[in-house]
Amino acid sequence: MIELKGLRAGYGGREILHGVDISFQPGRITILCGPNGCGKSTLLRAALGLIPSMGGEVLYDGVELSGLSRREVARRAAYMPQERGAPSITVRRLALHGRFPYLDIPRRYTAADLAAAERALKLADALDIADAPLPELSGGQRQRAFLAMALAQETPALLMDEPTAFLDAGHQLRVMDSAQRLAREGRAVVMVLHDLRLALRCADTLAVLADGALTACGSPEEVYSSGAIDAAFGVALGRVHTDNGWQYYYE
């Protein structure tokens, strides 16, 4: 489990997160939502130690993040960032990069590493593009490729920043299906999503950020009923009950 206690973080001396308390629990999908610039990506980066905290604590199974090496963190939590380059390698080779935390120098992949990459490619729905060079792919295809790299780390926690961006509706649903499968396996899955309807449909825990503060955190039902989503986004969100559960819409 990853716990953030009173976490404060930002960039260049400017605080963006103001004392956030939240935990990412095994077996659950936690979805972070909020307007642009509210601190969602900053929260993920601070939770991974990619930016220094300005106060508070980050704990991995009770161990302070500052006491863990970069390799130890990478064996506990995989990260799929929102922005990244496109190196001139194939998708399969990119997926194998997810095995780096387990390799020594010089890097030599074992049969277990190769098998892990293949599992990740399948789970990310990227087997059909496995041998394609990354720069030649569309934005959605690249998204699936980088998801495969994160999945290949096979960590207890997976933190993803907008993993459904650039994807068509079918692939978005496949990503969410994969997330639910990982949670059922006991992993802590954390996602930043802008699609509120998808977030409300798929989250076990929904967290709303606004102006660097956590304004609501709980089940989708609890957060919807609190009005925190409407307040954060300035929208009117409605819902209707169907045979497949609650379906949400903008009024």
Side-chain angles (χ1 to χ4, degrees):
M1 180 169 67
I2 301 175
E3 298 174 272
L4 314 183
K5 297 184 177 182
L7 180 64
R8 296 164 41 230
Y11 305 92
R14 182 171 69 92
E15 186 175 298
I16 294 175
L17 292 179
H18 313 302
V20 173
D21 293 290
I22 191 172
S23 62
F24 305 140
Q25 301 178 12
R28 297 183 68 81
I29 297 174
T30 301
I31 295 182
L32 309 175
C33 65
N36 291 336
C38 70
K40 302 182 298 295
S41 298
T42 300
L43 189 152
L44 293 188
R45 291 174 61 81
L48 291 157
L50 299 177
I51 59 173
S53 71
M54 297 178 174
E57 294 181 293
V58 178
L59 304 173
Y60 280 64
D61 295 324
V63 178
E64 172 60 47
L65 175 62
S66 61
L68 299 172
S69 68
R70 291 304 312 151
R71 173 175 282 202
E72 288 172 326
V73 173
R75 289 182 176 184
R76 287 166 169 79
Y79 175 48
M80 180 181 171
Q82 187 177 22
E83 298 179 2
R84 50 205 169 261
S88 296
I89 57 175
T90 65
V91 173
R92 178 173 278 107
R93 179 62 61 176
L94 180 72
L96 280 167
H97 284 194
R99 302 304 299 168
F100 282 6
Y102 307 97
L103 304 180
D104 295 319
I105 302 295
R107 296 186 178 110
R108 293 190 177 92
Y109 297 114
T110 66
D113 295 318
L114 297 173
E118 289 301 307
R119 286 193 298 271
L121 289 165
K122 182 177 180 180
L123 192 56
D125 198 24
L127 279 174
D128 61 323
I129 56 173
D131 297 314
L134 199 63
E136 297 179 8
L137 300 179
S138 69
Q141 290 172 322
R142 290 183 190 180
Q143 195 79 342
R144 289 153 55 196
F146 280 99
L147 176 59
M149 182 176 71
L151 292 171
Q153 280 181 241
E154 296 191 333
T155 50
L158 176 61
L159 282 62
M160 298 179 284
D161 198 347
E162 286 293 335
T164 59
F166 308 113
L167 298 180
D168 58 45
H171 282 108
Q172 286 183 10
L173 293 176
R174 290 188 188 105
V175 167
M176 301 313 294
D177 287 343
S178 296
Q180 290 172 330
R181 173 180 166 182
L182 293 169
R184 288 195 300 270
E185 292 174 357
R187 302 198 209 184
V189 180
V190 186
M191 314 173 79
V192 169
L193 287 185
H194 275 117
D195 189 326
L196 293 175
R197 291 167 294 186
L198 195 60
L200 285 159
R201 174 180 172 181
C202 299
D204 295 310
T205 299
L206 186 64
V208 180
L209 287 166
D211 297 323
L214 189 65
T215 60
C217 186
S219 69
E221 169 68 24
E222 291 169 337
V223 172
Y224 172 81
S225 299
S226 74
I229 294 175
D230 291 12
F233 287 92
V235 300
L237 197 64
R239 66 180 182 178
V240 60
H241 198 270
T242 71
D243 292 340
N244 295 318
W246 289 109
Q247 298 297 314
Y248 297 87
Y249 60 92
Y250 299 112
E251 295 181 332

